[in-house]
Amino acid sequence: MRLLLDRLYQIAGGIAAVSILGICLVVSAQVVLNILARLGGPGLSFTIPSYADFAGYMLSTASFMALAYTLRNGSHIRVNLFVQKLSDRPKWIVELVVLALGGAITGYATWYAVALMVESIEYGDMSTGIIAIPLWMPQTAMVAGLGLLTIALIDTLIEALIARAPVLIDSGSE
């Protein structure tokens, strides 16, 4: 199970990375087209339809899909000023409380994100850009990312309970 979950978190992180790459490509292509239009005049003026919308959808995908991956790799922004002063037992208790609260809050958010996506499907909600797409499509990444974060928080909580010690690492520098 550990291998499966870790692989799932890595895949989500990979999807986030590909989304960031997609943003770079789409925006860079539009910048090149803008330069071409400035140099060549109105006859060479082209726009990628709804490029800003698609960049926004990719940003949302990257943000939500990276959540579980960054949690498990100790890359989330955390406030260590308080926790680093604690000894191991109180640090473990604080970690358990935070993981339990985080799991409950993200579980609640996931529940309502699913409800939003189902509502978008039922009503046939479409984006308002030049290229109209069903809104459930970008919402799927939000639901998947929140769901994975909920699983990662519960997974980490169980791991901390079994270890009887803090398990969250901090890969950042202070």
Side-chain angles (χ1 to χ4, degrees), residues 88-103:
D88 282 343
R89 177 101 172 132
K91 190 183 292 187
W92 176 61
I93 291 168
V94 168
E95 187 170 289
L96 291 177
V97 169
V98 168
L99 288 168
L101 282 172

Side-chain angles (χ1 to χ4, degrees), residues 8-77:
L8 196 58
Y9 304 145
Q10 287 176 341
I11 290 169
I15 291 169
V18 168
S19 296
I20 295 293
L21 179 62
I23 293 168
C24 292
L25 292 174
V26 168
V27 172
S28 295
Q30 185 58 54
V31 167
V32 168
L33 290 174
N34 290 347
I35 292 170
L36 185 63
R38 297 255 177 176
L39 296 175
L44 291 176
S45 182
F46 301 101
T47 300
I48 299 171
S50 295
Y51 81 94
D53 295 337
F54 290 116
Y57 298 147
M58 287 185 277
L59 178 60
S60 174
T61 297
S63 299
F64 282 101
M65 294 306 283
L67 291 172
Y69 177 79
T70 54
L71 172 73
R72 293 298 295 178
N73 286 293
S75 301
H76 268 253
I77 297 171

